[in-house]
Amino acid sequence: MSNVTFIIIGATGDLAKRYIFPAIYTLIKDKKVDQFAVIGLARRPMTAQQLLAPSKEFIANLDPQIWTKLEQSTYYNTLRFDNVKDFHTLKSTLQNIEQKHGLSGNRLFYLATLPQHFDTITQNLAASGVAKQSKTNWSRLVYEKPFGDNLQSAKKIN
């Protein structure tokens, strides 16, 4: 996974702060990714630095050089989960960021949202074509647990 764009939907939440951003930091530190970009998406406005700052306390022995590398490759945009136009805008934004960082279009979408948003987000990702893969790039969607409220809702999401 040396060339990837991480797209975190629901990036302002506790899960992203405590686990996702520290995990990406560790991937960089351990040289598991070298060319990458991180795009945080959520409903409230903020900067990429404001998004990342709370994660510092969850990273042991923070290396300032690794942190700077993460900061320089992280972006933040607002996204209304139920608005397909926002997803079309995201598609264009992703293409620009990937071009800037020399990325091939491999995309890992992490839905760090409440389960009731999974269906809407997934439908809008599909409708906008933002998560479409081709012969030269891949896309993966990761749904955060809990995966539905019961067996019926889990099957619906699946």
Side-chain angles (χ1 to χ4, degrees):
M1 190 169 55
S2 64
N3 183 316
V4 63
T5 305
F6 298 97
I7 301 102
I8 304 162
I9 301 174
T12 58
D14 197 54
L15 176 72
K17 171 179 68 175
R18 290 177 178 265
Y19 300 104
I20 299 172
F21 291 120
I24 294 171
Y25 170 91
T26 301
L27 288 172
I28 299 163
K29 181 179 160 208
D30 293 346
K31 298 181 179 10
K32 301 288 184 186
V33 294
D34 51 353
Q35 283 184 275
F36 70 95
V38 179
I39 301 170
L41 301 162
R43 292 178 282 198
R44 66 182 140 170
M46 65 173 50
T47 66
Q49 287 72 29
Q50 289 171 323
L51 175 68
L52 284 175
S55 296
K56 278 185 166 181
E57 70 178 277
F58 299 100
I59 300 171
N61 304 314
L62 188 126
D63 179 329
Q65 289 181 313
I66 303 293
W67 184 258
T68 298
K69 188 173 183 178
L70 176 60
E71 276 187 321
Q72 291 174 345
S73 297
T74 299
Y75 302 84
Y76 179 81
N77 285 55
T78 57
L79 178 84
R80 293 167 294 175
F81 303 155
D82 61 347
N83 187 329
V84 73
K85 289 180 183 179
D86 284 2
F87 286 82
H88 285 285
T89 301
L90 171 61
K91 185 176 182 180
S92 175
T93 300
L94 277 169
Q95 290 168 339
N96 291 335
I97 291 170
E98 287 168 342
Q99 183 178 14
K100 176 181 177 181
H101 289 274
L103 300 171
S104 64
N106 295 327
R107 296 174 178 168
L108 178 70
F109 294 86
Y110 200 110
L111 279 66
T113 65
L114 296 172
Q116 61 256 34
H117 298 299
F118 290 171
D119 190 42
T120 301
I121 292 168
T122 303
Q123 287 179 13
N124 285 332
L125 287 170
S128 65
V130 73
K132 189 174 184 175
Q133 58 187 14
S134 70
K135 292 180 181 180
T136 59
N137 66 291
W138 52 262
S139 283
R140 303 289 185 269
L141 273 66
V142 177
Y143 296 93
E144 181 49 44
K145 296 185 286 180
F147 195 74
D149 298 319
N150 53 37
L151 181 59
Q152 181 182 359
S153 64
K155 284 182 177 181
K156 182 180 179 196
I157 292 167
N158 196 34

